[in-house]
Amino acid sequence: MCDTCFSLENEWFTASGLGRVHSWTVCHHAFHRGFASLAPYVLLTVDLAEGVRMVAPMVVPDACRLAIGLPVILDYQDRHDDITVPRFRIHGEDDADG
Amino acid sequence: MSTLRNRAAVTGIGETPYTRGTDKSALRLTLEASLTAIADAGLTPRDIDGIVAYASGAVVAEDLLTNFGSHDFRFSATTPLGGASAVAALQCATMAVSTGVATHVLVPLGRDGYSGARIHRRLGQMRQFHVVSEFEAPVGANAPAQYYAPMARRHMELYGTTSEQFAEVARTMRRHATLNDNALMRTPMTVADHQASRMIADPFRLLDCCLESDGGAAVVVSGADHAMDMPRPRVLLSGMGVGHPDSPSAITQRPDMTRLGLAKAAPRAFEMAGVTHADIDVAEIYDCFTYTVICQLEDLGFCAKGEGGPFVEGGRIGLGGVLPTNTHGGLLSQAHVAGLNHVVELVRQLRGDCGARQVDNAEVGLVTGYGDLGDGSIAIMHRD
Ligand SMILES: [Zn+2]
């Protein structure tokens, strides 16, 4: 439900994938064994252009380059045949796959 | 206008020894702490006619009633606010005893958080956390340290808060724990020790994170009039409040990540109690992470938003400082009983029973709770 007008109507649309860094953490300790081989990994909290926030890893885990407001863009990684995960890369950079 | 101010008192307190490793169940630990608190109040288990059980725990009121052999039980409730539950339960219990619905309400909490189900497993099963479970856990956010680290990071970026200021919180709690026989972590800690501890979820190092432990705590809340005739000095509940963050589906969705529900609850509680910040002699502040103490000091109004880092410097929150905080060692160095240990400690301070860690002339104090999604709770108490 919309928390402004309380409408129950909704529809799917394709988001731009553009956003800006709101905050982040560098996960050195994996609390789930599925992420152990990825640690340390950077989790970004991103303000999407469409107005919600989203959490996803950073393609190249380089926290030194992060700042609040840094533009990022979403892409996707096919991790297995049936699993695709969202990730963010710094906007305007064609990062090598992390 | 009617008010909850001074309508109820904490009349009994109890704690088990805290351990990391136990063969006792959460129910057994809850019963042991409850018996201690009930005896401290000069009551027997059958005098308890209300219970506010821990909503996130393994023990429900019915478990206690069965063991108490209760015949005239009148009030059962839960306050489902995660780590803010215990302090919110004081408000709930006060509402019950001040209206005559119940006479003596028990607030019990026992957990085998070290030996049994670990805390991050419990969180994953809470329905309030479904947004996190659906959207954030699959990309690698699987434990509280990873949920709260971005709050701390944003605070650092916006206000210049430093890891050394987090260290100041950790080492102060540890210093207090060294004065407490029932604290788990009693080896003194320096800022350098903190800075050398391994990184868990940047900016949180190991020594920024609270303990997981086994143990139980309980308090009895009675009507203020009844409390006049009970054995221990009256510790009156003078101001209480509960506050929720906007958009409480997940920490990430909050409009302002650096402001907790406590910011809404605190002004109401201070107004109800009729006291100012300068009146507070001792504070027990929910410390799941070092950062959450800094954030709550701001949300409580002891300093402006962003000034919590400098506030904790210079021994200000230590014994002998302007605002002695978590005099028992807190969740960081005493034990993790979801903050009911903070309630017990505040009552003990206001009774003057804290021995080596007693705050001189402690007359007015406050205790806070902080829940997993930013819920805040506060109780201000004073000795009669
Ligand atoms: Zn709308």
Side-chain angles (χ1 to χ4, degrees), chain B residues 77 94 132 145 305 313:
Chain B
T94 299
V132 176
K305 183 53 66 183
E313 292 177 337

Side-chain angles (χ1 to χ4, degrees), chain B residues 181-201:
Chain B
D181 290 340
N182 194 16
L184 287 170
M185 303 304 243
R186 304 191 60 198
T187 307
M189 181 204 302
T190 65
V191 170
D193 292 334
H194 172 277
Q195 293 292 298
S197 68
R198 70 188 167 94
M199 199 63 91
I200 302 296

Side-chain angles (χ1 to χ4, degrees), chain B residues 291-355:
Chain B
Y291 162 75
T292 45
V293 174
I294 288 172
C295 183
Q296 287 176 89
L297 285 165
E298 297 165 353
D299 289 340
L300 282 163
F302 285 101
C303 56
K305 183 53 66 183
E307 293 176 0
F311 185 90
V312 302
E313 292 177 337
R316 211 171 271 118
I317 62 168
L319 280 166
V322 64
L323 186 68
T325 298
N326 293 355
T327 46
H328 53 332
L331 306 181
L332 288 166
S333 280
Q334 189 202 23
H336 197 321
V337 202
L340 195 55
N341 48 327
H342 292 51
V343 176
V344 168
E345 175 71 5
L346 179 57
V347 174
R348 201 171 268 144
Q349 284 286 351
L350 296 175
R351 287 176 176 179
D353 288 345
C354 279

Side-chain angles (χ1 to χ4, degrees), chain B residues 68-92:
Chain B
F68 289 179
S70 302
H71 302 303
D72 192 17
F73 187 75
R74 298 170 181 211
F75 177 73
S76 178
T78 60
T79 47
L81 301 168
S85 299
V87 174
L90 299 175
Q91 175 181 269
C92 184

Side-chain angles (χ1 to χ4, degrees), chain B residues 90-111:
Chain B
L90 299 175
Q91 175 181 269
C92 184
T94 299
M95 291 164 69
V97 300
S98 65
T99 51
V101 170
T103 306
H104 302 293
V105 175
L106 179 71
V107 179
L109 209 162
R111 69 195 323 192

Side-chain angles (χ1 to χ4, degrees), chain B residues 99-235:
Chain B
T99 51
V101 170
T103 306
H104 302 293
V105 175
L106 179 71
V107 179
L109 209 162
R111 69 195 323 192
D112 50 353
Y114 185 83
S115 300
R118 301 298 284 261
I119 288 168
H120 71 273
R121 298 234 179 280
R122 170 180 67 75
L123 285 181
Q125 292 158 4
M126 286 169 62
R127 296 186 62 187
Q128 299 94 315
F129 261 71
H130 71 91
V131 170
V132 176
S133 305
E134 282 181 49
F135 296 104
E136 301 182 3
V139 296
N142 308 110
Q146 296 167 331
Y147 308 145
Y148 298 179
M151 305 163 78
R153 171 53 63 190
R154 189 168 168 87
H155 199 278
M156 295 167 95
E157 295 292 314
L158 290 177
Y159 304 118
T161 313
T162 65
S163 179
E164 287 77 10
Q165 290 164 340
F166 296 170
E168 195 61 35
V169 174
R171 89 181 171 111
T172 303
M173 306 304 94
R174 183 62 61 87
R175 179 158 67 85
H176 296 165
T178 64
L179 303 172
N180 182 355
D181 290 340
N182 194 16
L184 287 170
M185 303 304 243
R186 304 191 60 198
T187 307
M189 181 204 302
T190 65
V191 170
D193 292 334
H194 172 277
Q195 293 292 298
S197 68
R198 70 188 167 94
M199 199 63 91
I200 302 296
D202 181 277
F204 292 147
R205 299 176 177 279
L206 181 67
L207 293 179
D208 289 306
C209 305
C210 61
L211 303 168
E212 294 193 64
S213 56
D214 305 313
V219 302
V220 177
V221 175
S222 309
D225 295 343
H226 282 279
M228 301 279 279
D229 306 319
M230 294 173 74
R232 305 306 308 267
R234 276 202 316 178
V235 173

